Amino acid sequence: MAGLVTDWIRVPVGEDASRWTTRGGCRRVLLVVHNVTSATRLLDVVPLFRDDLRIQLLASCTGSSPFSAGVAELLSSLGVPVLPWEQAKQTPVDLALSASFGGELSGFQGKLVVLSHGVGYNKKLATPNTEHRTPNTEHRTPNTEHRTPNTEHRTPNTPHAPVFGLAPEWLLSDGVPLARAMVLSHPEQLGRLREACPEAAPTAVLGGDPCFDRILAALPRRERHRRAFGVRPGQRFIVLNSTWNPQSLFGDAGANDPLPWLLDRLATELPVDDYRVAAVLHPNIWHGHGPGQVRLWLDRAERAGLTLIDPLDGWRQALVAADAVIGDFGSVSYYAAALGTPVLLGTASDEVLGATSPVAAFVREAPRLALDSPLLPQLNLLLTHHQPITSTSELTTSAPGEAAGLLRSLFYEVMGLLEPTEPALLDLLPLPDYRPPTRTVPLRVRTRPGPRPHEVTIERVAEGRYGPSGPGSDHLAVHEDTLDQGLLGLADAILRYGEADDPRIGPPREWAAATLARYPNCSLAAFVSGPGTCEVLLRDRGFVRLTSPSLDPAAAASALFAQVDGTTIPRPLPRMELTVRTGGASHAVLVSPVP
């Protein structure tokens, strides 16, 4: 596999490892990685071995998944020794951890524990295709007729196809369970396991859901996560989510592909000061099609303010921060519903789900996106009349907040090792980097004066094809870096984002003066220098600084433009305070003349 090690390593395992290893008496824990998706679930439990000088972590990739991209980089960032797959199968280990049943899992020299890489076991797959064997065929183990096949890229073709992870095709080798322990998050899964593969039922262990526990632990920091994603007071944070699969929201199966319609509406229908939009896409989309291709597909949406969330590090924080999710039948949408977050299903195919699974029940109950109606009223209805689906939270885990203790006890029992005396703790979700939206598409701005002096109501929409409408005055605000540079000659307001001391751009006042000189039809040039600050030059009215703790400075500049346009406010502008209303929020903006 490209990017992964092929030469057998010599330290800390290998034929002569004892000569070179500093701590040679450690118990060995092998992380069995199939792809980035399964690796993320293994990373959840790595902290359970922290501070234990008796443990040596190792990692290896099965090579069985068609989604191999990104694995080498992830393993490199983990910073533990990576064994070629053939060496991993021949190296004695005390515990092997896997989050999938793909690959040759029957040949380990150690006890295998399998975790789920989603929210339980829900997706059904066709009968395994034994032609898809691991790539390195010259090193096959002798018992090839029982090799676990690669089933990840196959979709079901019968209504009664087995659920992946709960059927003999994956759980047994020669009639014997592959795993020493199979971790389940809820007794509901045990009931289906007993029905589908009773031989494997004795290996089942209720261990909770470490992924969901980390989400729950982050809820008290929800406002911090919202601020990190650039969500301002009064805004609603909408997260677009898709699993991988032709039937998914991002997929193109069927006659009614919802994605083009949805991307267009998200980009151009939602008022930008009322809604903040981000997207969480399954790692198999990112690494199957390539991050560059995904970004190219979503280029216009990003220029309109959509933020793409890293599928490894940021998706859980996005769920914590979200006001609503537009998703599908994947685990992320289910986790959102389990948190009580409103979920609108953009696609709801039940072809890939086990009929009795919790996700199938969720799909049957959740509201659906209507492609023949505007998006904004649907979102407003979803947020206003949301009724949580209680079964989602009840069936996600039977031991909320307890996965760390349950799993560490299991791992150490399998290794025959006494647990550390310190509490078992998972890592807290890190606070994401600050990522406000970047909009370089033109903004159509509608304003109207309020009932009191210095009060303005404003609505800004990207490109403006679906709004704004109603009474008021319109103007065009354009980012200086818009792709269509011809729009700058038509703009009423030109925007620039950057550091005030950036030597490439020059001081804000000089930039603003040069901009107004270059574009004679433009009335206002605004240099946004911080989350709540911008410097504005209005033609014939002087240079001012706008500050607001809650409003986008570019919106404040448009509100100022509307306030002074055609009025008798003195020249130059005096110090004053504006009240700017956007949707359901009210914002104070201080206007300060700059000498």
Side-chain angles (χ1 to χ4, degrees):
M1 180 184 303
L4 290 174
V5 294
T6 55
D7 294 334
W8 286 35
I9 69 172
R10 299 173 61 188
V11 181
V13 296
E15 290 184 2
D16 57 350
S18 59
R19 295 179 57 194
W20 315 108
T21 304
T22 302
R23 297 188 65 84
C26 293
R27 302 293 178 95
R28 297 167 178 173
V29 176
L30 177 68
L31 305 178
V32 182
V33 175
H34 295 78
N35 50 36
V36 171
T37 307
S38 67
T40 58
R41 298 311 175 97
L42 297 178
L43 295 181
D44 282 334
V45 301
V46 164
L48 298 181
F49 303 104
R50 74 172 96 233
D51 298 324
D52 195 336
L53 297 173
R54 303 168 297 171
I55 300 296
Q56 170 67 61
L57 288 184
L58 307 167
S60 186
C61 181
T62 65
S64 62
S65 173
F67 301 102
S68 60
V71 173
E73 294 81 1
L74 186 148
L75 291 178
S76 177
S77 68
L78 181 59
V80 302
V82 179
L83 284 64
W85 182 238
E86 291 304 312
Q87 184 180 9
K89 290 189 297 181
Q90 299 181 37
T91 298
V93 296
D94 299 281
L95 172 64
L97 291 176
S98 176
S100 179
F101 284 97
E104 299 175 273
L105 300 184
S106 61
F108 281 122
Q109 297 186 40
K111 297 172 183 176
L112 176 67
V113 173
V114 178
L115 306 159
S116 167
H117 67 258
V119 56
Y121 296 90
N122 300 282
K123 292 182 181 180
K124 58 186 180 181
L125 299 179
T127 302
N129 180 355
T130 56
E131 295 177 4
H132 293 282
R133 299 189 175 104
T134 53
N136 195 5
T137 54
E138 67 271 19
H139 293 293
R140 289 192 193 107
T141 54
N143 188 11
T144 55
E145 67 270 19
H146 295 292
R147 183 178 297 105
T148 306
N150 173 5
T151 58
E152 294 180 64
H153 199 59
R154 296 174 59 77
T155 52
N157 51 19
T158 66
H160 302 292
V163 173
F164 178 69
L166 296 183
E169 291 89 336
W170 297 280
L171 299 178
L172 304 179
S173 176
D174 290 332
V176 177
L178 280 168
R180 161 65 172 78
M182 180 177 176
V183 176
L184 307 178
S185 62
H186 195 280
E188 172 276 329
Q189 298 159 25
L190 178 57
R192 289 189 287 133
L193 174 63
R194 285 172 174 158
E195 180 179 352
C197 186
E199 300 91 337
T203 69
V205 176
L206 292 173
D209 187 327
C211 174
F212 192 56
D213 281 0
R214 295 183 71 194
I215 296 173
L216 294 176
L219 290 177
R221 296 176 174 83
R222 182 172 187 266
E223 287 305 317
R224 296 183 193 178
H225 290 294
R226 288 173 65 82
R227 289 193 292 269
F229 288 116
V231 181
R232 294 181 176 272
Q235 280 188 314
R236 289 166 162 173
F237 186 31
I238 309 300
V239 174
L240 177 69
N241 165 246
S242 179
T243 187
W244 75 278
N245 195 289
Q247 287 80 29
S248 71
L249 181 59
F250 209 83
D252 59 1
N256 295 319
D257 179 0
L259 189 62
W261 179 92
L262 182 58
L263 289 175
D264 181 62
R265 291 284 177 164
L266 285 170
T268 61
E269 185 181 342
L270 304 187
V272 301
D273 296 304
D274 300 339
Y275 288 90
R276 172 81 173 96
V277 184
V280 171
L281 304 179
H282 194 283
N284 289 356
I285 297 176
W286 277 98
H287 298 296
H289 294 283
Q293 179 62 72
V294 171
R295 292 190 181 280
L296 195 60
W297 279 333
L298 300 180
D299 177 74
R300 175 170 167 266
E302 282 198 279
R303 288 186 286 111
L306 176 75
T307 295
L308 293 176
I309 304 298
D310 186 283
L312 178 62
D313 293 326
W315 69 268
R316 284 173 283 207
Q317 293 91 324
L319 286 192
V320 169
D323 291 296
V325 170
I326 301 176
D328 55 21
F329 50 83
S331 293
V332 174
S333 296
Y334 190 89
Y335 277 136
L339 293 174
T341 303
V343 177
L344 189 64
L345 295 183
T347 182
S349 171
D350 59 0
E351 296 178 12
V352 297
L353 299 173
T356 60
S357 70
V359 175
F362 156 69
V363 166
R364 289 191 291 268
E365 190 171 346
R368 309 291 177 89
L369 181 69
L371 302 184
D372 56 354
S373 300
L375 176 61
L376 184 56
Q378 296 185 64
L379 283 177
N380 289 335
L381 184 65
L382 177 75
L383 291 160
T384 304
H385 299 286
H386 170 61
Q387 294 292 328
I389 302 174
T390 56
S391 63
T392 53
S393 59
E394 293 171 354
L395 296 177
T396 299
T397 173
S398 59
E402 300 179 21
L406 293 171
L407 292 175
R408 192 178 74 172
S409 294
L410 170 64
F411 298 160
Y412 278 76
E413 177 189 348
V414 170
M415 290 188 291
L417 196 63
L418 289 176
E419 275 192 79
T421 56
E422 294 79 8
L425 299 171
L426 302 172
D427 281 348
L428 295 175
L429 293 179
L431 192 64
D433 293 336
Y434 178 58
R435 296 188 65 189
T438 300
R439 297 184 182 90
T440 59
V441 298
L443 297 176
R444 177 63 61 185
V445 186
R446 172 150 295 190
T447 60
R448 63 179 185 274
R452 290 182 290 274
H454 299 171
E455 184 175 287
V456 180
T457 296
I458 185 172
E459 183 178 339
R460 301 186 301 159
V461 177
E463 299 184 359
R465 292 202 306 276
Y466 302 109
S469 59
S473 302
D474 288 355
H475 68 266
L476 183 66
V478 181
H479 193 295
E480 189 183 33
D481 292 338
T482 182
L483 284 184
D484 187 352
Q485 289 284 292
L487 291 173
L488 295 171
L490 305 175
D492 300 291
I494 294 177
L495 311 174
R496 173 83 242 173
Y497 291 74
E499 301 292 335
D501 58 354
D502 189 338
R504 300 171 301 171
I505 302 172
R509 191 171 199 149
E510 291 182 11
W511 168 85
T515 298
L516 293 185
R518 185 178 303 115
Y519 299 104
N521 291 327
C522 178
S523 300
L524 177 150
F527 191 110
V528 179
S529 56
T533 305
C534 69
E535 282 74 37
V536 174
L537 181 63
L538 289 115
R539 195 178 296 277
D540 300 327
R541 288 186 180 270
F543 188 63
V544 297
R545 178 175 292 112
L546 307 182
T547 55
S548 174
S550 58
L551 184 64
D552 180 352
S558 279
L560 178 64
F561 173 78
Q563 180 70 19
V564 304
D565 187 35
T567 67
T568 58
I569 292 178
R571 308 179 185 207
L573 289 175
R575 181 181 176 89
M576 60 181 176
E577 185 172 290
L578 296 179
T579 298
V580 183
R581 302 191 183 280
T582 58
S586 179
H587 311 271
V589 177
L590 180 63
V591 182
S592 304
V594 179

